[in-house]
Amino acid sequence: MSSHAPAPAPGLGHPRGPSFLPGRRPTLPARPTPTAEPDPPPSTDTHVPVRPRTPRPLTTALLAAVLAGGAAGYAAGALGDDDPAAAPAAARDSGGLEAVAARVLPSVVSVRTADGQGSGFVFDERGRILTNAHVVDGSSRVTVELQDGRRLSAEVIGDDPAHDVAVLEPETARGLRAVELATGTRPGVGDTVLAIGSPLGLSGTVTSGIVSALDRAVRIGEGSSQRRALQTDASINPGNSGGPLVDAEGRVIGINTAIATLDQQRGGSIGIGFAIPVADAAAAARTIIDGG
């Protein structure tokens, strides 16, 4: 083995510190011989004081951290074993949203016309379907495809282009189950939501996000007037139009209708989507059904 100093690493210079010479043991200073302390004089006090130990802050702090961590871990583990509600929030949300999707998906349909496709959902006990007016685009009849693969012919009983709402009545209501509409509650910014539909023809697609804003003024439907909409970052793409935006309880809070995009020619989700509030959509649907 060569005893010369190692070559410097490129750009770092020579290593610093004492040279290492193999075969030589370092000389250590002699350890002083401890001297015995004289015994203390006898005391007549019956209370013997406890001599305080020299504090060791670093060791004590580390030990305290380890003990605290162990205790916290044990407590969390014990609560998790005994109380399902104490499970991590992410696990609870994941399982909850999975159940919500499973409950809502059978009520969501793909809507196909001669010129394109979109989404819709069953919204009343007669099996009628709510979708966007721009999805049916003036058609009198369309085809709806259910989650179980059945295809039904449906009549467009009316539409409201100003609110971008249309109502379909399928040839049969057998096997159709209505979703719950959250018409009596108001969502909050930050609430978890699911967007369900058939983006790009991929039926049964579920995406998750939050309510990003309420009462966002956007142009929806025909005309130049602006209407209030829910804003969400749940992924919405062409084909999602007419599908439901549901909350963490599985209640429909809006109809997915439009997205903001940076490329008008190849529009896709950039995390800014808009949904018609369900109360507005339900009111428009009722007017259509009543023949207004």
Side-chain angles (χ1 to χ4, degrees), residues 36-291:
E37 296 180 2
D39 293 333
S43 173
T44 58
D45 192 347
T46 57
H47 295 85
V48 180
V50 179
R51 178 180 297 178
R53 296 184 178 180
T54 303
R56 299 176 181 177
L58 179 58
T59 305
T60 304
L62 289 175
L63 181 60
V66 172
L67 290 177
Y74 174 79
L79 290 174
D81 291 339
D82 296 337
D83 183 4
R92 292 201 309 272
D93 287 346
S94 176
L97 295 182
E98 182 180 355
V100 168
R103 187 165 70 252
V104 177
L105 273 168
S107 302
V108 181
V109 302
S110 295
V111 179
R112 302 186 182 277
T113 70
D115 299 320
Q117 63 87 215
S119 305
F121 58 93
V122 182
F123 76 100
D124 70 6
E125 68 283 352
R126 292 185 53 177
R128 287 180 288 215
I129 294 167
L130 203 56
T131 187
N132 284 141
H134 78 260
V135 169
V136 299
D137 194 25
S139 302
S140 59
R141 298 197 72 85
V142 298
T143 299
V144 295
E145 183 174 343
L146 313 182
Q147 291 298 312
D148 60 10
R150 285 190 299 156
R151 292 189 177 185
L152 302 174
S153 176
E155 178 189 359
V156 180
I157 62 175
D159 65 351
D160 181 348
H163 289 88
D164 202 9
V165 172
V167 178
L168 315 178
E169 186 156 17
E171 58 186 293
T172 177
R174 182 177 60 86
L176 300 182
R177 184 181 66 194
V179 295
E180 181 182 355
L181 305 182
T183 52
T185 61
R186 179 176 171 85
V189 173
D191 285 356
T192 299
V193 292
L194 295 180
I196 306 177
S198 304
L200 306 180
L202 302 173
S203 61
T205 296
V206 179
T207 57
S208 65
I210 62 170
V211 174
S212 303
L214 302 173
D215 301 325
R216 185 70 79 194
V218 294
R219 286 185 173 85
I220 293 177
E222 294 183 1
S224 59
S225 61
Q226 292 184 330
R227 300 192 179 277
R228 67 190 187 108
L230 300 175
Q231 181 183 331
T232 179
D233 67 347
S235 181
I236 296 175
N237 287 285
N240 270 119
S241 291
L245 185 70
V246 304
D247 62 16
E249 302 297 325
R251 302 170 301 184
V252 177
I253 64 172
I255 303 179
N256 301 316
T257 299
I259 58 174
T261 181
L262 299 177
D263 187 341
Q264 296 295 331
Q265 301 301 319
R266 295 175 298 176
S269 175
I270 59 172
I272 302 177
F274 303 101
I276 302 169
V278 69
D280 297 350
R286 184 53 53 192
T287 300
I288 292 172
I289 293 171
D290 292 342

Side-chain angles (χ1 to χ4, degrees), residues 24-30:
R24 297 181 58 184
R25 297 174 60 87
T27 302
L28 300 177

